Amino acid sequence: MLRPSILIIDDEPDNFDVIETILSPQDYQLHYAAGGRDAISSLDTFQPDLILLDVMMPELDGIEVCRQIKAMPQWQTVPIIMVTALNDKSDLAQCLTTGADDFISKPVNAVELRARAHSMLRIKQQYDSIQTLSRVQQNTIGVLESTLSELRGSIASKLAHELNTPLNGIFGMIELLKHSLEDIETAEALEILGWAEQSARRLENLTKKFLVYLELEQLSANGPPPVNFTPSQFCNLTIVDPLKAHAKKFHRSQDLIFQIENAEVSVSGDYLSIIVHELVDNALKFSPPSTPVKISSQIEKSLLKVSVHDSGRGMTANQIAKVAAFMQFEREIHEQQGIGMGLKLVKKIVELAGGEFSIVSTYNQCTTVNLTLPIVDS
């Protein structure tokens, strides 16, 4: 098996020497590029499995280098770790939104760098294996590929990738602790355990979401909608506080705008929570900070009309028509986590309750998700 290839892009040779010293005990091929343009032109030569990219460089900074690399289809799946002295959250967020997979702060911590490099290389290896299997499947399916590839490919690659990513993170941290426990301080061990916990929670959330999807599919199989859910309250008390708490994780609590008319709706509290959480989570992820995300509801006859509006990435008409489980749009550009199940869950719950679901969007400008839920007769 070929040794993993790592490309270090940094205009300061001394920084490469530091990283080389940290990673040299590992069985890696290390390559160096002194600038963004040299790095991009050398990708075919070095064939990197992982890129360590300095943010602050003259002429072409790391963020622009990352954007250009992720724009090239043949290199979109190569993980990029940004090496940065920046501490401002908006700067770090910009690193991730340009397509970077992770970042590490200067001065570089040896244990952290080895752990993150190991984890990212495991993810790349798993992705390559999935892609190889997918190509074999495509060659055998033949003419049916044209109609089945989109769904099958999404399940085979995206779901497997999303499951393997946190699993690799957990196993990578455990392996690191097993081999380094005697040589690291307690604080470093706790930090590694914290990374493992983050991966475990991500896996837990994904599993819960998939189980809900299967539950909804079973409800659909039992008969035509609507399903008689236990009613719940759509009101400020049940909606506002949980959404503000979630937005706080994005540092965007102040971006939420609420115009809520209270009503008792024919959807259980758990499913109602999924509806508002998924819609607002999408709006926060796919719109820039300091832009409003408006959540509104109003009663019209026997229905509660709910809408969530953001001024973000938007969707094309073709993308709206293809809203389905296990599908994300433009992931190769934006590199967000997830398997694209959120909108499908919302649509499924609303339809099972006897309501309607629709999306109105202008690409690269805004998106409004509209839905109706039956109101319980008083």
Side-chain angles (χ1 to χ4, degrees):
M1 180 180 292
L2 294 176
R3 291 184 298 158
S5 173
I6 300 178
L7 174 59
I8 297 99
I9 307 173
D10 198 310
D11 62 306
E12 292 292 338
D14 289 344
N15 291 336
F16 170 72
D17 293 339
V18 171
I19 293 176
E20 184 180 35
T21 301
I22 293 172
L23 296 180
S24 58
Q26 314 299 317
D27 192 23
Y28 301 145
Q29 299 181 66
L30 302 179
H31 308 285
Y32 174 66
R37 290 188 175 86
D38 289 343
I40 292 171
S41 63
S42 67
L43 290 174
D44 288 331
T45 301
F46 295 141
Q47 293 289 314
D49 298 297
L50 172 65
I51 296 172
L52 300 179
L53 175 57
D54 185 39
V55 173
M56 306 299 291
M57 295 190 296
E59 296 185 18
L60 208 62
D61 65 27
I63 291 175
E64 179 58 28
V65 173
C66 179
R67 182 181 291 110
Q68 290 190 24
I69 291 176
K70 289 294 185 179
M72 294 185 281
Q74 67 271 38
W75 303 113
Q76 287 170 357
T77 62
V78 175
I80 295 179
I81 300 177
M82 307 294 280
V83 184
T84 175
L86 302 174
N87 292 315
D88 187 85
K89 288 185 173 61
S90 63
D91 292 325
L92 298 178
Q94 188 179 12
C95 290
L96 297 177
T97 55
T98 55
D101 298 84
D102 205 349
F103 62 85
I104 187 170
S105 300
K106 292 182 178 180
V108 173
N109 177 278
V111 174
E112 182 181 4
L113 177 59
R114 284 195 291 267
R116 292 180 184 268
H118 180 75
S119 179
M120 286 294 166
L121 286 169
R122 283 178 66 103
I123 292 170
K124 178 61 165 54
Q125 184 182 30
Q126 291 288 340
Y127 185 86
D128 289 345
S129 298
I130 292 168
Q131 290 301 102
T132 299
L133 176 60
S134 179
R135 284 193 291 270
V136 172
Q137 291 174 330
Q138 289 173 6
N139 290 334
T140 58
I141 289 177
V143 69
L144 294 177
E145 181 67 17
S146 61
T147 57
L148 298 178
S149 63
E150 189 169 53
L151 179 58
R152 192 212 68 229
S154 295
I155 295 175
S157 60
K158 293 182 177 64
L159 181 58
H161 176 73
E162 288 300 320
L163 289 171
N164 279 322
T165 297
L167 279 174
N168 285 330
I170 295 169
F171 286 130
M173 298 305 105
I174 291 174
E175 186 175 338
L176 182 64
L177 283 174
K178 284 170 60 179
H179 291 89
S180 308
L181 192 57
E182 295 180 358
D183 302 322
I184 61 177
E185 301 293 333
T186 301
E188 290 179 323
L190 290 173
E191 186 175 10
I192 293 172
L193 286 173
W195 299 332
E197 182 181 16
Q198 289 177 9
S199 293
R201 293 195 182 281
R202 178 178 168 187
L203 182 60
E204 179 187 34
N205 290 334
L206 176 61
T207 303
K208 286 181 178 179
K209 190 176 292 188
F210 188 64
L211 290 175
V212 170
Y213 176 77
L214 294 178
E215 182 180 281
L216 293 172
E217 286 295 315
Q218 186 175 11
L219 285 173
S220 298
N222 289 338
V227 173
N228 292 322
F229 291 119
T230 302
S232 61
Q233 294 292 329
F234 191 102
C235 61
N236 283 292
L237 181 64
T238 59
I239 300 300
V240 175
D241 288 344
L243 290 181
K244 283 189 173 181
H246 182 63
K248 190 175 182 180
K249 298 176 184 177
F250 296 83
H251 308 286
R252 296 190 61 184
S253 298
Q254 302 304 314
D255 291 347
L256 298 186
I257 299 173
F258 295 93
Q259 292 182 354
I260 302 296
E261 186 172 359
N262 299 342
E264 187 177 21
V265 293
S266 299
V267 176
S268 66
D270 289 343
Y271 284 151
L272 184 59
S273 177
I274 290 172
I275 289 173
V276 295
H277 174 88
E278 292 297 335
L279 294 183
V280 173
D281 183 67
N282 273 356
L284 292 170
K285 285 194 296 188
F286 303 140
S287 66
S290 301
T291 61
V293 173
K294 183 179 178 182
I295 303 97
S296 61
S297 66
Q298 62 183 49
I299 297 173
E300 290 190 6
K301 298 181 180 179
S302 59
L303 296 173
L304 181 69
K305 301 187 70 173
V306 180
S307 68
V308 176
H309 175 85
D310 70 79
S311 301
R313 184 187 308 172
M315 300 170 68
T316 65
N318 185 51
Q319 289 170 345
I320 293 172
K322 291 184 177 181
V323 168
F326 316 113
M327 184 177 295
Q328 281 189 338
F329 302 113
E330 300 183 342
R331 177 170 181 146
E332 68 278 7
I333 300 174
H334 303 285
E335 289 296 311
Q336 67 272 9
Q337 294 179 354
I339 57 176
M341 193 186 290
L343 287 178
K344 177 64 175 180
L345 287 179
V346 173
K347 186 173 185 289
K348 196 77 172 177
I349 293 170
V350 170
E351 290 175 347
L352 285 171
E356 295 182 352
F357 174 94
S358 64
I359 300 173
V360 179
S361 185
T362 302
Y363 188 61
N364 283 334
Q365 291 187 28
C366 63
T367 298
T368 303
V369 179
N370 298 301
L371 59 92
T372 61
L373 295 170
I375 295 175
V376 176
D377 294 331
S378 47

